[in-house]
Amino acid sequence: MTVAAEPKSAAAGLKREMGLMSAINVIISVMIGSGIFVSPTAALRYSGSVGFCLVVWTVCGGISLLGALCFAELGTVVPRSGAEYAYLIEAFKKSHSFWGPLPSFICAWVYVMILRPAEIAVIILTFSEYSILPFRHLLGLEDMPADDLHLLIKLIGILGLGIITYINLSSVKLYVTINNVFGFCKVFACLVVIFGGVYQLAIGNTANLAGGFQGTNTSPGHIALAFYNGLWAYDGWSSVTTITEEIKKPEVNIPRSIMIAVPIITGLYVFMNLAYMTVLSMGEMIASEAVGIDFGDRALGSFSFLIPLGVALATFGCALSIQFGVTRLCYVASQEGQMLEPLSYIHVRRSTPAPAVAMQGVLALAFILVGNIETLIEFASFLIWFFYGAAVVALLALRRTQPNVHRPYKVPLIVPYITLAVSIFLSIVPVISDPSPKYLFAVAFILSGVLVYTPFVYYKVRPRWINKLTFIIQVLFEVVPSSSKLD
């Protein structure tokens, strides 16, 4: 038995409360995490020279922009939240009763159950570690036993997870306000690094840059790995299309936000790497465990605390936005009958998908408590670009099957083909370069998704306890079916 639906006039639903600036900040929040501050070294190691490394970072930004523009077109043709999931379900669900909806379900299965909550757990633990770093001496943590310090970091991480979950449960407006503040702060932290580098150049610290392209690796394998690592650092450019249904004028603001945010981040990344190179040699950068911290210690003097503070701000905002986005994927997948129905229910007053947010909070908490989740992310992360490629295939399919649909924004045909080639490259390179058994776990997890999909999605088997669970969720979270469910 379920709670009776409210009248249509009182129907809940997601509301369009995010303008252009908020959309830009969503992209910035997801793309700028801890990576550019902590370990932007792999591209340098494989490129072999400072000159070619900067070229790699610049070209990777351009490639990311091309991929993002493909999603900008998809976001205007399929005006639903969920990004890759929404595009796959729209393009292929009618092609075959069993195989058509399967790719979209596997996408949701990987993102919702493993990848995003595991990412949130790792990111929030990084936030915890760097948030206490400036205060370790003040609080006397330097002499704390390693096990006790690890427990403290985990406890702060759980507190941080609780805060971001509360924010995303409370209201979209609260999320937008906090995310805008954190977006500004993390860009400011990036600019601190850049201007620190400008000062170093002004006083003549150019020795580490004098080598230019000397020592550039010409091996195709090394070049491929340099671009592979650079492109991973730019991941997150599709984030705004995950929340399409909450963007004002998405046909205008989605393309604009992408065209503004991705070049901004490209500029920040390139000039931050250049700044690092003014005070750190190639060997020092490659050996460093936290490049930004080492840079701050040498270049910023008494203001070096701004770097760990910047990492803490960047990671908190990143985790907040990733959770916000994946709950919208839950919401859309539930509307399609591919997730539990209550995950598409909306809070009657706050207009948030409260059950989906709570579920993501619980999953992330489980990953924090279990620990050792970096390997888990590694075996699932290579699937991200696989799904990007699948979304580009959906774009090409929609151009063929729905040629007359109005497209407020349309990319040149060469762009999706370039993006598809890059996605294939990034899906294959990690398997070839490190043929680890961990990728068998990824295949096993996908197959487990097929085992769930066949009875519960395709054959629509519905256990009796589902109705009781739905009733409990509606009462506990004060949620009702979204307006599209009530129509």
Side-chain angles (χ1 to χ4, degrees):
M1 178 179 179
T2 59
V3 174
E6 293 194 353
K8 289 191 178 185
S9 60
L14 300 178
K15 301 184 183 302
R16 299 194 183 277
E17 300 186 77
M18 304 177 71
L20 176 61
M21 186 57 65
S22 298
I24 292 170
N25 266 316
V26 168
I27 300 173
I28 289 174
S29 289
V30 177
M31 289 185 73
I32 302 180
S34 63
I36 193 61
F37 294 99
V38 179
S39 56
T41 57
L44 177 60
R45 180 169 63 251
Y46 289 114
S47 62
S49 69
V50 294
F52 188 54
C53 178
L54 296 176
V55 170
V56 167
W57 280 100
T58 305
V59 173
C60 287
I63 292 173
S64 299
L65 179 60
L66 296 181
L69 292 177
C70 291
F71 274 64
E73 176 180 331
L74 284 163
T76 60
V77 175
V78 185
R80 299 185 69 187
S81 297
E84 301 97 294
Y85 174 86
Y87 311 144
L88 290 171
I89 196 75
E90 178 66 23
F92 302 120
K93 69 177 179 180
K94 295 180 181 178
S95 61
H96 189 277
S97 59
F98 180 87
W99 298 107
L102 182 58
S104 57
F105 175 81
I106 295 299
C107 177
W109 179 250
V110 171
Y111 279 171
V112 171
M113 301 305 297
I114 290 286
L115 190 54
R116 295 312 187 200
E119 282 182 343
I120 291 167
V122 169
I123 293 168
I124 208 68
L125 287 173
T126 305
F127 154 77
S128 175
E129 182 178 355
Y130 280 87
S131 65
I132 64 174
L133 192 59
F135 310 106
R136 290 184 71 167
H137 179 71
L138 181 65
L139 299 176
L141 301 179
E142 293 173 334
D143 299 324
M144 178 179 285
D147 290 343
D148 292 345
L149 182 61
H150 180 72
L151 178 60
L152 176 63
I153 290 172
K154 186 170 285 191
L155 290 174
I156 295 174
I158 292 172
L159 176 62
L161 175 64
I163 293 171
I164 69 169
T165 304
Y166 172 78
I167 292 168
N168 285 328
L169 279 171
S170 295
S171 75
V172 175
K173 286 184 177 179
L174 179 61
Y175 161 78
V176 169
T177 300
I178 293 175
N179 192 54
N180 287 347
V181 171
F182 274 81
F184 172 81
C185 290
K186 68 170 63 179
V187 170
F188 176 76
C190 293
L191 292 176
V192 167
V193 173
I194 292 171
F195 283 113
V198 169
Y199 175 75
Q200 294 298 319
L201 288 174
I203 63 175
N205 282 346
T206 59
N208 295 329
L209 302 171
F213 289 86
Q214 184 178 356
T216 298
N217 281 322
T218 57
S219 164
H222 282 89
I223 293 173
L225 287 170
F227 279 99
Y228 168 74
N229 285 281
L231 285 165
W232 276 121
Y234 282 96
D235 186 47
W237 41 258
S238 67
S239 51
V240 72
T241 56
T242 309
I243 56 171
T244 298
E245 293 175 51
E246 289 160 285
I247 302 292
K248 299 175 183 177
K249 298 181 180 179
E251 69 282 358
V252 174
N253 286 330
I254 287 179
R256 283 183 181 175
S257 63
I258 288 171
M259 292 177 190
I260 294 171
V262 177
I264 286 175
I265 293 168
T266 301
L268 292 174
Y269 280 9
V270 171
F271 286 107
M272 285 179 75
N273 274 276
L274 181 62
Y276 294 148
M277 293 169 184
T278 61
V279 296
L280 298 170
S281 67
M282 277 190 59
E284 289 172 329
M285 282 188 66
I286 292 171
S288 175
E289 294 183 1
V291 174
I293 302 296
D294 291 343
F295 170 85
D297 290 341
R298 293 195 188 183
L300 300 181
S302 59
F303 292 97
S304 60
F305 72 91
L306 290 174
I307 301 301
L309 181 60
V311 175
L313 293 171
T315 47
F316 185 89
C318 184
L320 176 67
S321 290
I322 289 176
Q323 188 190 74
F324 185 88
V326 72
T327 58
R328 274 54 184 176
L329 195 159
C330 292
Y331 170 83
V332 175
S334 174
Q335 288 183 322
E336 291 291 337
Q338 294 193 347
M339 290 277 172
L340 290 174
E341 182 179 326
L343 295 177
S344 67
Y345 288 7
I346 299 294
H347 194 280
V348 293
R349 296 184 304 279
R350 298 170 180 167
S351 298
T352 60
V357 175
M359 185 189 77
Q360 284 301 305
V362 170
L363 287 174
L365 175 62
F367 284 121
I368 289 177
L369 295 176
V370 168
N372 297 320
I373 49 183
E374 286 81 359
T375 302
L376 183 68
I377 290 180
E378 286 177 6
F379 88 69
S381 289
F382 84 102
L383 293 172
I384 290 177
W385 273 91
F386 174 83
F387 289 124
Y388 285 165
V392 174
V393 173
L395 183 152
L396 298 172
L398 288 170
R399 284 197 179 184
R400 181 179 293 271
T401 59
Q402 300 181 22
N404 297 322
V405 170
H406 177 58
R407 287 170 167 80
Y409 175 79
K410 187 175 182 179
V411 293
L413 191 59
I414 187 64
V415 173
Y417 282 115
I418 293 174
T419 305
L420 182 58
V422 171
S423 67
I424 294 172
F425 164 74
L426 288 177
S427 300
I428 294 175
V429 164
V431 181
I432 294 176
S433 62
D434 180 23
S436 169
K438 64 189 176 187
Y439 298 115
L440 295 177
F441 289 101
V443 174
F445 187 72
I446 289 174
L447 292 177
S448 70
V450 177
L451 294 178
V452 173
Y453 168 83
T454 302
F456 299 113
V457 178
Y458 182 68
Y459 288 109
K460 302 186 185 321
V461 174
R462 183 182 175 88
R464 293 182 179 179
W465 52 265
I466 290 293
N467 286 338
K468 293 182 179 179
L469 177 64
T470 301
F471 174 82
I472 292 170
I473 289 174
Q474 287 191 262
V475 172
L476 182 63
F477 290 101
E478 298 183 81
V479 292
V480 295
S482 60
S483 53
S484 59
K485 287 283 184 183
L486 294 171
D487 289 338

